[in-house]
Amino acid sequence: MKPEAKYWEPLDKSTVRCRLCPRECVIADGNSGFCRIRSNQGGKLVATGYGELVTISNDPIEKKPLYHFYPGSYIISVACNGCNLGCLHCQNYSISQYSCPTKYVSPEELVEVAKRYASKGVCFTYTEPLIWYEYLLDVAKVAKPKGLPIVLVTNGQINRKPLEDLIPYVDAMNIDLKSIREEFYRDVCRGGSLRATMETIELAYESGVHVEVTNLIIPGYNDSLEELEELTDFVASVGLDIPLHFTRFYPHYELTSLPPTPVDTLIRAKFLAESKGMKFVYVGNVPDDRLNSTYCPSCGRLLIKRSGFFETFSYLEGSRCPSCGTEVYGRF
Ligand code: SF4
């Protein structure tokens, strides 16, 4: 028996509207919303994906990517089927746009697994965790009293009220800002709202959640200088210390005819963001230690050396540069 979903309203005796994310699906009895894991059962919205894990893995936290949240640690990472976007380039489309077999794991069991494997916390990732709202909230209520932080890797597509209610339970978020153009969300992500993701970044950061932002640069789609400049200006306006990851696109799903992002484009984006005062800018999906290591924004000293996801060495003293004492954004 799955629990009733939060944030919905009846429209008539048999139709409901889900109010969790900006898509606001109107769902007839017997049907599911766009995300496929919230269903109208007899005029009531039910969280049908509650606790249904499609995958579980103990990952390096750098893989999320989170570079300033307990670097070098491992974290139990779980996912559900489904998503509230339908990106043409989705790397995980076999579970986000289609469904694979799942196994039910209760919140208590998941936290027990995290403890058993000495995980740093519990991470909801691979597909969109916000559509799994009721489950991640229940996991957080069990995990946090045991000292396990909650981490979300998310597209930030959520309405204001559920986000405000969720934030006290979340410790860190990597938020995927797919583009700074509404039309990209409409045409490439098959819906969603740029404004919602921007508000999630702003509210999470202002509320003290540890925030990192990822932008996957796709050749010909979101790689113009003007767009990268606007995107960087927005992130910089929220916080110059937010770690910003420009990530390399590789052909996936319905965008297989494109080439991978030229490394020069990614490096140009990094220099652009740094010229705007961004302190920690990284280039993901490119095996170059210099583009993925952390340097002191004041004196330039190497602070955290990264070689791939599995080798991380920190020179930080607490959260400070050992040479000049500058405090570095994050939790260490
Ligand atoms: S959470 Fe799912 S059902 Fe609800 S509005 Fe978003 S896509 Fe639709």
Side-chain angles (χ1 to χ4, degrees), residues 6-8 17-27 32-39 45 83-85 130-133 157-159:
K6 295 178 183 293
Y7 308 106
W8 65 277
R17 186 199 312 272
C18 177
R19 303 296 301 269
L20 180 59
C21 91
R23 216 173 256 282
E24 303 219 337
C25 298
V26 174
I27 310 169
S32 302
F34 182 93
C35 62
R36 311 199 309 282
I37 62 165
R38 304 171 76 77
S39 307
L45 193 64
C83 188
N84 52 5
L85 295 180
L130 294 172
I131 62 172
W132 224 8
Y133 192 98
Q157 293 290 303
I158 186 168
N159 287 338

Side-chain angles (χ1 to χ4, degrees), residues 66-82:
L66 280 177
Y67 279 12
H68 289 230
F69 193 78
Y70 304 111
S73 62
Y74 278 68
I75 190 160
I76 287 288
S77 301
V78 295
C80 56
N81 282 315

Side-chain angles (χ1 to χ4, degrees), residues 257-268:
S257 58
L258 293 180
T261 318
V263 174
D264 281 355
T265 304
L266 295 150
I267 291 176
R268 213 175 313 127

Side-chain angles (χ1 to χ4, degrees), residues 58 74-77 113-123 148-149:
N58 203 15
Y74 278 68
I75 190 160
I76 287 288
S77 301
V113 170
K115 293 293 264 184
R116 197 181 321 141
Y117 286 89
S119 165
K120 192 71 209 173
V122 180
C123 178
L148 294 176

Side-chain angles (χ1 to χ4, degrees), residues 67-71 171 205 209-212 241-243 280 304 316 318-320 327-332:
Y67 279 12
H68 289 230
F69 193 78
Y70 304 111
D171 296 274
Y205 182 77
V209 174
H210 174 80
V211 171
E212 305 196 16
D241 50 6
I242 293 177
F280 307 105
I304 306 171
L316 285 167
S319 58
R320 293 186 180 276
E327 181 143 25
V328 173
Y329 174 73
R331 303 203 195 153
F332 303 100

